[in-house]
Amino acid sequence: MSTTPSGAGDRLVQVGAIVFFVGALATLVTVAPLFLGTDPFPPIAYGVCMLMGVGFLIAGVGVVRSAWANSPKRAANS
């Protein structure tokens, strides 16, 4: 168990990871019919796959926010 306080962007990174994995799961489900030779899913299913990129972007914003909050210049001014 960690006793360090959560950083500025930790929650964004966690949410981004969850959204990314939902998109990754949707991608696996969407691509599976192509290998199984069944009918493909409707186009909206391919739109759900875009959650991978959205989750990656959210997590990236969280990392940048944490780095910005913990920068030496900001720590010196506090």
Side-chain angles (χ1 to χ4, degrees), residues 14-70:
Q14 292 172 352
V15 169
I18 292 168
V19 171
F20 179 85
F21 285 119
V22 167
L25 180 64
T27 300
L28 290 174
V29 169
T30 304
V31 173
L34 300 175
F35 292 112
L36 299 174
T38 60
D39 292 333
F41 286 105
I44 191 70
Y46 294 97
V48 176
C49 296
M50 297 295 175
L51 288 177
M52 283 180 62
V54 173
F56 189 76
L57 183 67
I58 292 170
V61 168
V63 169
V64 169
R65 185 173 177 198
S66 290
W68 183 70
N70 294 328

Side-chain angles (χ1 to χ4, degrees), residues 1 4 26 29-30 53 59 71:
M1 184 170 202
T4 59
V29 169
T30 304
S71 68

